[in-house]
Amino acid sequence: MANLNPHLSTDCVVFGYDDKELKVLLVEREMNKRGSVSNFQPDLKLPGGLVFNDELLKDAASRILKELTGLEKVKLVQFDVLDSLDRMDKATDREWLEQTTGLRIDRVVSIAFFGIVGVIREKNCKAGTHWVKMSEIKNLPFDHEEIIKRALFAIRQSLKRDGLLFELLDEKFTIHQLQNLIRIFYDEETDSRNFRKKIKKLDFVIPLDEKQHNVAHKPAQLFRFDRKQFSQFSNTRIIF
């Protein structure tokens, strides 16, 4: 097998969500007990690692994500390059990377990817992985907090621009479910009455002559997303 490239890595920001909030998948990072850095405590980081010289970046991202978290077949989108000269300034970060790779490390450029796995299912992940609330993410190694910040900005653009937001819903959905998804990803509340009016003006959100089944509350009308109609309109049509 080809050697690892000591100067090139990938980092994956995988978002997951439940009915209440957005979370990011992080993995445990532990220093070898023989490490010389004193007082090093196990912490969390983004799933990432060095790239082999004979693999494509997208293949490296998928490989590393599967190795560290157990997740596979996640659609990963490349969105940024992290090349700051101070990425390796922390002694603990440099030593951890050198210990785990067996390589001398001076500078590493990271290619960042994002993905969404839909509703969180912890049982599908390996031990040592954690779904962490966005509000609780802090003190991550390297520049991983900055990567997450950039990933969230990129994915918010993509959700509206590419219609990805609707693909996260079931084929048939209610306006309330769409509104809740927007609240989760954009961390903002919307007025239900005005929101409903705006959605009903969108030609690509098609009302169905159907209502929910087997729900404890009053069944709501169902809608579907029409991608063909969506492709005919300007991105500015999606205003929530």
Side-chain angles (χ1 to χ4, degrees):
M1 181 177 287
N3 295 326
L4 288 170
N5 188 319
H7 306 297
L8 189 62
S9 71
T10 65
D11 285 297
C12 298
V13 185
V14 180
F15 293 101
Y17 59 93
D18 51 29
D19 290 337
K20 297 181 180 179
E21 55 201 332
L22 187 65
K23 298 181 180 181
V24 174
L25 188 63
L26 302 178
V27 297
E28 294 179 4
R29 178 182 77 153
E30 293 188 22
M31 182 71 78
N32 187 305
K33 293 181 180 179
R34 293 175 295 178
S36 61
V37 176
S38 62
N39 299 321
F40 186 92
Q41 299 295 323
D43 58 5
L44 299 175
K45 63 182 284 290
L46 288 171
L50 297 180
V51 176
F52 285 111
N53 284 322
D54 66 347
E55 69 181 338
L56 298 175
L57 291 170
K58 62 181 180 63
D59 295 333
S62 295
R63 169 183 61 81
I64 294 168
L65 181 64
K66 181 179 178 181
E67 290 175 353
L68 295 180
T69 70
L71 291 180
E72 53 184 330
K73 297 181 180 179
V74 177
K75 181 181 179 181
L76 296 173
V77 178
Q78 182 179 326
F79 71 93
D80 213 335
V81 176
L82 286 301
D83 62 351
S84 172
L85 297 179
D86 59 5
R87 296 192 72 232
M88 302 292 296
D89 276 1
K90 295 180 183 177
T92 51
D93 292 342
R94 185 189 299 272
E95 184 167 350
W96 173 82
L97 194 53
E98 290 183 344
Q99 271 198 19
T100 54
T101 63
L103 300 171
R104 179 175 176 79
I105 305 293
D106 45 25
R107 183 188 183 190
V108 180
V109 174
S110 182
I111 312 301
F113 293 78
F114 71 69
I116 304 176
V117 300
V119 178
I120 295 169
R121 294 181 176 86
E122 282 88 348
K123 65 180 181 180
N124 294 337
C125 300
K126 283 186 175 181
T129 60
H130 303 270
W131 286 104
V132 181
K133 300 176 184 178
M134 286 291 297
S135 60
E136 296 179 357
I137 292 176
K138 58 182 179 179
N139 300 323
L140 299 186
F142 304 105
D143 51 2
H144 288 189
E145 288 175 60
E146 175 65 20
I147 296 176
I148 292 172
K149 179 181 177 180
R150 295 188 189 187
L152 185 58
F153 177 82
I155 209 165
R156 282 172 170 171
Q157 302 300 309
S158 181
L159 285 173
K160 292 185 178 182
R161 181 188 65 239
D162 303 328
L164 179 59
L165 184 69
F166 294 93
E167 295 180 6
L168 299 178
L169 295 161
D170 292 333
E171 182 179 354
K172 299 177 182 180
F173 57 87
T174 68
I175 288 183
H176 175 73
Q177 290 168 341
L178 175 59
Q179 184 180 13
N180 190 52
L181 198 60
I182 291 170
R183 179 189 61 78
I184 290 170
F185 275 92
Y186 293 87
D187 192 27
E188 60 185 38
E189 297 291 343
T190 57
D191 178 81
S192 294
R193 181 173 295 181
N194 289 333
F195 181 80
R196 183 173 294 272
K197 289 179 180 179
K198 290 178 181 179
I199 294 301
K200 287 189 174 182
K201 291 179 180 179
L202 299 177
D203 303 70
F204 47 82
V205 179
I206 311 299
L208 302 174
D209 190 22
E210 297 180 48
K211 292 187 176 183
Q212 291 175 297
H213 298 285
N214 302 319
V215 291
H217 51 77
K218 182 179 179 180
Q221 183 180 11
L222 295 172
F223 295 77
R224 69 174 179 84
F225 172 61
D226 189 317
R227 177 159 288 282
K228 184 176 180 180
Q229 285 281 83
F230 174 77
S231 65
Q232 298 177 12
F233 295 105
S234 165
N235 296 331
T236 58
R237 292 296 300 275
I238 308 184
I239 302 175
F240 299 126

